[in-house]
Amino acid sequence: MKYFIVSDIHGHYKELKQALVDAHFNPYKERHKLIVLGDMFDRGEESWKVYKFIKNLWDKGYAYVVRGNHEKFLIDYLDGTSINPFNYLNNGTKETFDDFLRSTSAFEFWCIEHEEVPTFGAFARWLKEAREQINKDYPELLSWLKSLPRYWENDKYIGVHGGIDTKAADWHEPHCVRYNLTDWDALEFDDGSFFSKAILNTDKTVIIGHFGTGHLRSMYGLGDKDDFSILRRGDGRVIAIDGCVAKTKNVNVLTINDNEDDFGEDTI
C-alpha cells in the first residue's frame, strides 16, 4: 500500500488536486490511499468541492480522514452546539458557509433581504436558517463529520491532527485538557509544543498537521520561518506537514510505502 498524507486543506480544492497529481496519486489504483489529517474546511473558497472529492474517495475506500479542529467548528455550527461568531469572522467558517450555501455573502444578503442590521442577534437568527438549509442539502454531512476517527495508524506511523497525549499510558486513550476541552478534543488544538515533546508511550513516528511548518521552524530555530515544506524532527519521531495553504497556496504531500522504510515527500 502507498499512502499519500495531507493535512489542512482549508477549502483549497485546486491546490489539493494539483498536489496529488504531482505526487502521482491515482484514486483508481488499488494500492493508493489518501490520508487526510483534518481541517478540510474554512478559509478557502472551495470547501464544497473538497468535501465532495474526499467524501467520494472515502465512500469507495480510497481515503481515510482524521478529524481536526475545523471539523469541530463545523460540527458545532451544524448541530447547534455553538453560534460563536469568532470562527465565522476570523477562522474562515464564513467562506465555508458561503460555499455550501452557493453564495458569495450569504449572511450579508440575508440581512439586506430581511432589513436586519448585522448584529449578533441577527447572526444567530440567520445561522439557524443556514444550518437548516445545509443539513437539508447535505443530510449525510453532519453524521459523517461526527463519525470521523481521531487518528490513523499502521505498523510504523501514527497520523493525527495536532498531537498525541505523551503522558497517557496508552496514547489511544488520552487524558488531557486545553482551554475548556478534554482528551482528543484538546489535542486537536495543540499550540506547537507537541513537536518538541518526548514520546515514550509509542515507538511509532507521529505525523501531524494543524501547526504550520514555517511557524514550527521559527519557534524552534530550525530554519526559515517562511519555509512551509515538510519538517522532520531531528530524531525522526515527529513529521509536521501543514503547509499553511491559505498563505502559501501550497499543499504538502507526504508519501509512505507500507513495506519500505523510506518515504518521499512532494511540496507543490
Side-chain angles (χ1 to χ4, degrees), residues 23-243:
H24 308 295
F25 171 69
N26 183 347
Y28 304 105
K29 192 169 183 177
E30 186 176 351
R31 291 187 63 252
H32 284 196
K33 192 157 191 174
L34 178 65
I35 310 295
V36 182
L37 301 183
D39 283 8
M40 294 175 283
F41 310 117
D42 301 342
R43 298 181 180 147
E45 296 180 350
E46 294 184 305
S47 285
W48 177 81
K49 286 186 177 180
V50 169
Y51 165 66
K52 297 298 287 186
F53 174 68
I54 292 176
K55 181 63 162 57
N56 181 54
L57 293 178
W58 168 283
D59 289 341
K60 294 178 179 179
Y62 297 141
Y64 189 94
V65 183
V66 173
R67 205 181 92 167
N69 59 298
H70 282 258
E71 279 72 44
K72 176 174 173 51
F73 294 160
L74 191 53
I75 288 169
D76 288 349
Y77 276 117
L78 294 182
D79 72 3
T81 301
S82 171
I83 57 171
N84 183 357
F86 181 86
N87 292 326
Y88 185 83
L89 296 172
N90 299 282
N91 279 323
T93 312
K94 178 187 187 313
E95 287 80 1
T96 298
F97 267 79
D98 283 350
D99 196 32
F100 274 88
L101 291 167
R102 319 311 292 163
S103 172
T104 54
S105 299
F107 175 50
E108 291 82 354
F109 278 116
W110 181 90
C111 287
I112 293 172
E113 180 182 358
H114 291 78
E115 298 183 349
E116 291 260 16
V117 176
T119 62
F120 179 77
F123 176 75
R125 289 189 291 277
W126 167 80
L127 185 61
K128 182 177 185 296
E129 294 184 18
R131 74 160 59 100
E132 288 174 354
Q133 187 63 51
I134 293 175
N135 285 326
K136 177 182 177 181
D137 292 344
Y138 309 94
E140 75 293 336
L141 174 60
L142 180 58
S143 61
W144 180 63
L145 292 175
K146 287 184 172 182
S147 76
L148 294 179
R150 302 307 185 105
Y151 60 86
W152 166 80
E153 182 181 18
N154 71 359
D155 291 342
K156 297 179 181 179
Y157 297 94
I158 299 164
V160 291
H161 184 62
I164 65 172
D165 184 355
T166 58
K167 295 181 178 180
D170 181 354
W171 67 265
H172 298 87
E173 299 178 0
H175 301 286
C176 56
V177 177
R178 175 174 291 280
Y179 310 125
N180 61 333
L181 304 169
T182 59
D183 304 335
W184 282 112
D185 284 345
L187 291 167
E188 290 172 358
F189 288 84
D190 187 77
D191 60 359
S193 62
F194 173 75
F195 190 77
S196 66
K197 289 180 179 177
I199 303 172
L200 304 177
N201 52 2
T202 179
D203 293 329
K204 297 181 180 182
T205 297
V206 183
I207 305 167
I208 60 172
H210 182 62
F211 212 82
T213 59
H215 304 318
L216 290 173
R217 285 183 169 91
S218 178
M219 284 177 65
Y220 296 106
L222 298 174
D224 185 356
K225 64 180 178 62
D226 294 319
D227 179 4
F228 286 92
S229 61
I230 291 172
L231 175 63
R232 191 180 310 109
R233 203 166 81 177
D235 62 1
R237 298 302 311 280
V238 181
I239 304 172
I241 66 172
D242 177 9

